[in-house]
Amino acid sequence: MNPLLLAIRQAMVFSGQLENDVNRLLHVYHCPKTAEHSARVGAEAEKLAAIFGGDKAAARTAGWLHDISAIIPNSERIPSAEKLEIDILPEEAMFPMIIHQKISRAIAQDVFQIRDQTILSAIECHTTLKSHPSQMDLIVFIADKIEWDQPGKPPYLDELLAELEYSLERGAFVYIEYLWNQRNQLKVVHPWLIDAYEYLKPKCMH
Ligand SMILES: [Fe+2]
Ligand SMILES: [Fe+2]
C-alpha cells in the first residue's frame, strides 16, 4: 500500500464496519463537521437511490466516503496527490480544494477496500460531476448538494428539488447551472464541470 495510505490505515484500529470506521477516522483527524456531513450525505444518497431505483447500499457507502479526504489538509493536498500518483490537472494545481474528490477515491479504494467502480466513480466526481455521469454519479453529486456543508439553506435547493421530480439529470443541472452562471467569479472552472454542463444542457433545457 502507498505509504501515505498506510499511515492512514495505521492511525486507528479499523472494525470493518464502514460507517463506524469513517466516523471514527474523521474524528481521529479532527474533522467532526465532515463526519456529520458525510452521515447526512450517506442517508440522502440512500434515499435518492430508493426513489430512482438505484443500489441503496452502494449509494449510502459512496455518500459516507465522498469527503473522507478531509483528513488531508488543503495545503497538503497537491503533494499528497503526487505521492498517490493521481493525475493533477492545471485547474486542480491552482485550486487544490477540488482535487479532494480524487483523493477521497484513493482512500476509499485502498484504505476502505472499496472495489465497486460505480461507488469509486461517484466519489471521484462528486464536486464537479463529469460527462456521461452514471446514475450513481448523479445520486451522490445531488445528495452532496442537498446536504451542503455550509451554513443555511442552499440558494438553489427549491429549484433543485422541483427539477428532481422530473429526473436526476435535471436536478443535477440546477446546481451545474448555478455554478456556471457564476463561473467568472470562480477561482477555476474545472474541465469536468464544463463537460458536465455541455452534456446535460441539451437534455435539461426546457
Ligand atoms: Fe466534497
Ligand atoms: Fe461533501
Side-chain angles (χ1 to χ4, degrees), residues 128-194:
T128 58
L129 207 58
K130 61 184 178 185
S131 191
H132 295 78
S134 70
Q135 184 193 55
M136 186 66 71
D137 295 337
L138 290 164
I139 284 174
V140 176
F141 179 79
I142 293 169
D144 186 42
K145 306 310 168 266
I146 291 174
E147 290 293 347
W148 78 337
D149 50 8
Q150 295 172 54
K153 182 180 153 186
Y156 49 78
L157 185 61
D158 290 343
E159 194 190 345
L160 188 158
L161 294 176
E163 288 294 305
L164 202 50
E165 296 286 321
Y166 297 97
S167 68
L168 286 166
E169 281 85 357
R170 280 177 64 166
F173 189 67
V174 171
Y175 181 77
I176 297 274
E177 205 177 27
Y178 165 78
L179 282 187
W180 189 257
N181 291 339
Q182 39 177 316
R183 64 191 180 284
N184 295 330
Q185 285 88 57
L186 298 178
K187 291 207 173 79
V188 297
V189 181
H190 196 281
W192 292 6
L193 177 77
I194 299 172

